[in-house]
Amino acid sequence: MRRAIDLIASAKRRGYPVQNSYAGLDYMRKWPGPVPIACGGGWFFVRITSDGGMEICGLEGDTTPRGIRAQDGIMQGLKKLGVTGCATCWCAARLEF
């Protein structure tokens, strides 16, 4: 994996149209080690569960406090969720936000 990321970064330096940032490529190069990133979960996106609960993302490692309900208001829920960092999500799309 690291070799592949190095090759992509090298191609980017040579002018090939690689859309990932250098910071994003560096982050992905560290996979699978836990490396915290500033996460957009809880302020840029949320997950609404099938029973009306509100979560930061719903992925393993989600630190959402229990009992936040979408029906009580999205803005109210966002205030309760707060902004967090995450060391368990390896989603490149979220990383590049």
Side-chain angles (χ1 to χ4, degrees), residues 49-89:
T49 63
S50 60
D51 65 354
M54 234 174 119
E55 299 177 343
I56 293 170
C57 68
L59 298 175
E60 183 179 336
D62 186 335
T63 60
T64 301
R66 299 295 160 225
I68 300 175
R69 314 266 318 146
Q71 68 190 24
D72 297 332
I74 300 297
M75 295 307 292
Q76 192 68 6
L78 287 172
K79 289 177 186 171
K80 292 178 182 176
L81 288 176
V83 177
T84 72
C86 181
T88 60
C89 179

